[in-house]
Amino acid sequence: MHGGAERTENSMTTVERIVHDDLARFYSKEFEVVARHVRAFLNDEEYVQIYIVFDGKVEELRATNWAKGLTGRIREKLSSEHIDEFPILSPVSKSEWPMIKRAMSSEQTS
C-alpha cells in the first residue's frame, strides 16, 4: 500500500467500507469501522488495524457467525482492491473507544 498519504487515506476508506458492508450482512445494530495503516516497529512489516466500534458486548458480534471465515473474506476483498496488508480486526465497545482513540493520536504525534 505504498504511494503516499493520499493513497493510504483512500485505501483506509476502502477498507472501512469493505469491513462495514461485510459485517452489516450479519449484524443489524449500529456500528462504526475505523481503519489505519500501521508499520510494525520491530520488523518493519505493514498491516491494517481495523477497529469495529459498537454499542454492546463482544459476545453479540461472535453470536452472529460473522467471524466464521472472516479473515479470508476480508483478505480476498482487500486483495481485489490491491490492498495486500494483513487485516487485524479488533472489536471495541463505544465506552472504550475514546481511550483507544486518544492512544492512537498520541502514537501519531510521538
Side-chain angles (χ1 to χ4, degrees):
M1 186 182 319
H2 301 288
E6 183 177 328
R7 167 85 169 115
T8 301
E9 187 174 317
N10 290 340
S11 297
M12 292 305 99
T13 300
T14 300
V15 170
E16 291 170 353
R17 177 186 48 80
I18 286 170
V19 174
H20 187 279
D21 291 352
D22 191 86
L23 177 55
R25 292 176 32 224
F26 297 89
Y27 186 72
S28 60
K29 294 183 180 181
E30 185 178 325
F31 63 95
E32 176 184 6
V33 177
V34 179
R36 68 184 192 123
H37 180 254
V38 178
R39 181 179 301 269
F41 178 73
L42 294 176
N43 60 10
D44 205 34
E45 290 187 22
E46 298 177 15
Y47 62 94
V48 179
Q49 178 68 56
I50 305 165
Y51 296 98
I52 300 160
V53 184
F54 66 102
D55 194 11
K57 298 182 180 183
V58 174
E59 293 77 24
E60 292 175 0
L61 284 178
R62 290 188 183 124
T64 63
N65 288 328
W66 175 62
K68 289 182 180 176
L70 172 65
T71 301
R73 281 195 319 271
I74 298 300
R75 287 192 80 186
E76 184 176 315
K77 291 173 183 177
L78 294 179
S79 181
S80 72
E81 296 288 337
H82 309 290
I83 300 170
D84 299 317
E85 289 76 13
F86 193 83
I88 299 176
L89 288 101
S90 303
V92 177
S93 70
K94 280 187 179 181
S95 62
E96 294 175 320
W97 181 237
M99 179 179 62
I100 292 170
K101 201 171 173 181
R102 278 193 303 274
M104 287 172 28
S105 294
S106 67
E107 287 175 11
Q108 292 173 350
T109 59
S110 54

